[in-house]
Amino acid sequence: IRTALSRLVNDHLIVRKAGHGTIVQSRQDRRQFSLARSFTRQMAEMGLQARSVVLHSEARPVQSGDPRPLSGKISAPCLILDRLRLGNDEPIGLQRTFVVLEHCPGLERVDFSSQSLYEVLSNQYHLVITEITHTVSATTADKRQADLLRVELRAPLLVVKTAAFLENGEIIE
C-alpha cells in the first residue's frame, strides 16, 4: 500500500500532508499555459503541434524606441521577428521578438516558420537562458490582430512582455 501511495504521489494524483492525511489532487488542466517554457515545448506538452507563420523578419541595430530592457544595447545588432503562433493550426498568439545578435551571428538566416528560437539558441549557438521575466497586461484586439487571431474586433487579449537573460546576466531576447 505504501508503494502504491508513493507512486500516486509521484504521479501528482494525491497529496500526503502530515496531520491532514492523504488528499486526492485536483486534476490539472493540461492546457494550462506557462510563461516559463518555449512556445514549441509548451505546445508539445499540451499535445498540440506548434507552428509559426513568419509575418516579418528584419535585422537592424537596437534603437532607442525599442523595448526598454534593450536600452543597454543601443546600436547592437538585433533580429526583429514577428510571428503568428499556432497550436494544431489554431491561432494562439502574435509574437514580436527582438533578439540581440551579438552572441548568435547569422540567426537572421534561420527559418523560424519551422524552428524554435530557443532550441536554435541552445543547440546551434550553445546559449543558455537562465532567467525570463514577464509582465502581463490586457488590451483589446485591433483589426489586424482580430483577423490574424480569428477573434472579434475588440476581443480581450493578454499582452505578455518578456525579457530573457543568459547565464552571464546579459539580455538575449
Side-chain angles (χ1 to χ4, degrees):
I1 292 172
R2 277 192 289 258
T3 302
L5 287 174
S6 293
R7 286 182 183 166
L8 292 172
V9 168
N10 290 338
D11 290 340
H12 306 289
L13 296 172
I14 63 171
V15 176
R16 298 171 84 181
K17 294 183 180 180
H20 296 294
T22 301
I23 302 165
V24 175
Q25 179 80 332
S26 63
R27 183 161 169 81
Q28 293 182 341
D29 182 359
R30 73 181 195 100
R31 295 198 178 251
Q32 182 179 5
F33 201 79
S34 167
L35 300 173
R37 295 185 299 282
S38 77
F39 179 82
T40 302
R41 178 175 293 164
Q42 186 124 310
M43 291 295 104
E45 289 174 1
M46 293 168 45
L48 301 173
Q49 179 65 42
R51 192 168 71 83
S52 296
V53 175
V54 176
L55 304 171
H56 176 77
S57 179
E58 169 189 7
R60 65 157 173 80
V62 174
Q63 300 171 358
S64 61
D66 289 341
R68 185 175 303 153
L70 297 172
S71 62
K73 295 287 187 177
I74 300 296
S75 298
C78 79
L79 171 66
I80 302 171
L81 185 61
D82 292 331
R83 294 176 286 177
L84 172 63
R85 308 307 297 265
L86 302 115
N88 285 357
D89 288 326
E90 289 294 318
I92 302 281
L94 293 168
Q95 186 175 47
R96 169 166 271 195
T97 305
F98 291 75
V99 184
V100 179
L101 295 174
E102 290 173 324
H103 300 291
C104 46
L107 186 70
E108 66 276 7
R109 293 188 292 273
V110 173
D111 178 8
F112 287 107
S113 64
S114 62
Q115 295 193 57
S116 162
L117 171 63
Y118 282 15
E119 287 177 15
V120 169
L121 291 175
S122 175
N123 297 335
Q124 291 182 23
Y125 294 96
H126 309 289
L127 298 172
V128 178
I129 294 173
T130 57
E131 180 184 356
I132 301 174
T133 62
H134 309 282
T135 304
V136 181
S137 60
T139 191
T140 56
D142 63 22
K143 174 84 170 104
R144 179 178 176 273
Q145 293 165 333
D147 289 345
L148 288 167
L149 294 171
R150 295 187 230 148
V151 297
E152 292 182 22
L153 184 65
R154 292 187 288 284
L157 300 176
L158 287 178
V159 176
V160 180
K161 295 181 180 182
T162 64
F165 301 87
L166 299 173
E167 293 173 295
N168 63 5
E170 282 188 63
I171 190 163
I172 183 73
E173 180 233 6

